[in-house]
Amino acid sequence: MAMHAYKSAPATKPTDADVADDMSPFLRRYKDGRIERLMVSSFVPPSEAPGATGVATRDVVIDPVTGVSVRLFLSLGAVATDKRLPLIVYFHGGGFCTGSAFSNVFHRYATSLSACAGALVVSVEYRLAPEHPIPAAYDDAWAALRWVASMADPWLADHADHRRMFLAGESAGGNIVHNMALRCATREGDEIDLDVEGIILLHPYFWGSERLPSETDRHDGPMLAPEFVDTLWPFLTAGAAGNDDPRINPPADQVKSLPCRRALVAVAAKDVFRDRGRRYASWLRHGERCGEVTLVESEGEDHVFHLHRLVRASAVALMDRVVRFVDGWAAPAAGAKETELLRQCRTTHLDEWQDNMAGNAKLASASIGLELGRASSAKLVQKGPFARAARERTVAKSCL
């Protein structure tokens, strides 16, 4: 199968004078054109033998010319129920310039998502900047969605419920979700049967030239400095666009007019992007075109924390929340306090689970307690058919 070859490194030890663009922590571009990616995760081959995870995987090349591909994740336990499975089209993060659907970190997360949600997950391998500047990633994502809509693949045809399609992604992937949902709404002349049930944006990468409070507050020491983020979008677009480009800084009217049945937006309390995510969810809520909007905040965490320690209690809580969203369950809001806050959770059997995960062994179940708090600064969480009522605590299970 075709894969994008992005990993590279200088043949000799570089000096500062050799560097044309230092985009740490993602990559460095050298004056001779070489690219050194700094966040490298090992390649994981697909396997239709599910092994201990219970999830079979298979790769499909959609376009041999561009190299856009997908990896499918099929929960065989869910298949055994003889029911059609929810379909999740997943776009990985990595700042549009690093990461791969075939890398260990995103393969592991998609496996967990498939196992926990009992879903067929389609993880998209899209082209990266700077070799392929924006809009290449959007074009590849759209090509993948068109392929999914065709239901030509046997796994999709035999197992997927096209009426329960979700678009999901974290960071840059969350940004792609928004832009694909927008394109689905306009179709831009495409006649395809693409019916999206819900969108899931985890720590979405949105930005702008005007600072929001979370972009000026250095108290929590965010993982990504605002000054660095200022330089990222112009770099990704090869200088063709600035930080007020509507693809990275969607205007309020555009978000409010986005038609979607359901939306889940997750932010992390220490993330430099958190106020962008909160505002996005608030605009969706007040636009009256999205039937149900949920905003989830993970207390004490930073950007995409859930990818790197799947057994961390807060990561388990976030996965459980995503699974309940896919299942159609939503926590009711309490009065005017409308942000669902995932506080520190109690998790049992974590040591056993970590041992199982380290070596791609059996994915264990962990029982957790979720404390659902209500953040005073929030403007929304739930809109929909669920009655508003106080709910202080719920207990969920995870099968990451």
Side-chain angles (χ1 to χ4, degrees), residues 161-167 181 185 187 193-200 257-264 284-285 288-294 325 328 330 381-386:
D161 184 349
H162 70 277
R163 298 167 302 175
R164 288 192 292 159
M165 180 188 296
F166 297 85
L167 308 184
R187 285 296 195 275
D193 184 14
L194 197 59
D195 187 16
V196 177
E197 165 66 18
I199 57 175
I200 302 169
S257 64
L258 187 68
C260 62
R261 295 191 188 98
R262 303 166 56 215
L264 172 68
L284 277 178
R285 166 73 163 113
E288 302 300 334
R289 295 202 68 188
C290 191
E292 174 191 310
V293 179
T294 303
F325 179 80
V381 163
Q382 185 61 51
K383 180 177 71 171
F386 301 93

Side-chain angles (χ1 to χ4, degrees), residues 22 27 50 85 154 176 197 205 223 243-244 254 290 295 330 334 350 360 384 388-389 400:
D22 188 348
L27 57 80
L85 310 184
I176 293 175
E197 165 66 18
Y205 168 34
M223 181 176 72
N243 287 318
D244 286 327
Q254 182 192 91
C290 191
L295 175 65
L350 284 185
N360 229 10
R388 294 181 178 273
L400 286 178

Side-chain angles (χ1 to χ4, degrees), residues 254-297:
Q254 182 192 91
V255 177
K256 289 178 180 180
S257 64
L258 187 68
C260 62
R261 295 191 188 98
R262 303 166 56 215
L264 172 68
V265 181
V267 299
K270 293 183 177 181
D271 189 1
V272 71
F273 300 118
R274 63 187 181 273
D275 281 350
R276 301 275 170 181
R278 289 166 177 162
R279 187 175 70 174
Y280 181 87
S282 180
W283 284 345
L284 277 178
R285 166 73 163 113
H286 292 99
E288 302 300 334
R289 295 202 68 188
C290 191
E292 174 191 310
V293 179
T294 303
L295 175 65
V296 174
E297 180 164 341

Side-chain angles (χ1 to χ4, degrees), residues 88-102:
I88 303 175
V89 183
Y90 169 65
F91 305 101
H92 68 78
F96 288 99
C97 59
T98 190
S100 169
F102 312 130

Side-chain angles (χ1 to χ4, degrees), residues 225-391:
E227 293 78 12
F228 166 74
V229 181
D230 284 340
T231 68
L232 186 56
W233 192 250
F235 175 79
L236 297 170
T237 61
N243 287 318
D244 286 327
D245 182 342
R247 295 171 296 184
I248 193 67
N249 187 21
D253 288 347
Q254 182 192 91
V255 177
K256 289 178 180 180
S257 64
L258 187 68
C260 62
R261 295 191 188 98
R262 303 166 56 215
L264 172 68
V265 181
V267 299
K270 293 183 177 181
D271 189 1
V272 71
F273 300 118
R274 63 187 181 273
D275 281 350
R276 301 275 170 181
R278 289 166 177 162
R279 187 175 70 174
Y280 181 87
S282 180
W283 284 345
L284 277 178
R285 166 73 163 113
H286 292 99
E288 302 300 334
R289 295 202 68 188
C290 191
E292 174 191 310
V293 179
T294 303
L295 175 65
V296 174
E297 180 164 341
S298 298
E299 194 174 57
E301 298 291 359
D302 210 325
H303 194 60
V304 298
F305 70 91
H306 59 286
L307 292 177
H308 306 293
R309 294 186 62 187
L310 291 182
V311 299
R312 189 182 182 93
S314 50
V316 172
L318 182 57
M319 175 64 84
D320 284 329
R321 194 63 191 84
V322 170
V323 169
R324 292 202 305 277
F325 179 80
V326 172
D327 286 344
W329 185 92
K337 311 296 187 181
E338 296 178 315
T339 294
E340 180 181 340
L341 190 64
L342 299 187
R343 299 187 186 275
Q344 185 177 2
C345 305
R346 292 184 299 103
T347 307
T348 60
H349 311 306
L350 284 185
D351 291 339
E352 176 186 352
W353 189 7
Q354 185 125 30
D355 290 342
N356 288 336
M357 284 297 297
N360 229 10
K362 184 176 182 180
L363 300 172
S365 294
S367 297
I368 67 171
L370 300 180
E371 295 183 15
L372 298 183
R374 307 296 170 185
S376 60
S377 63
K379 297 299 181 184
L380 88 108
V381 163
Q382 185 61 51
K383 180 177 71 171
F386 301 93
R388 294 181 178 273
R391 183 181 180 92

Side-chain angles (χ1 to χ4, degrees), residues 197-233:
E197 165 66 18
I199 57 175
I200 302 169
L201 297 88
L202 308 178
H203 312 165
Y205 168 34
F206 296 123
W207 203 244
S209 59
E210 183 180 355
R211 288 277 193 262
L212 298 185
S214 66
E215 298 155 13
T216 60
D217 180 10
R218 303 304 180 88
H219 176 72
D220 289 326
M223 181 176 72
L224 297 171
E227 293 78 12
F228 166 74
V229 181
D230 284 340
T231 68
L232 186 56
W233 192 250

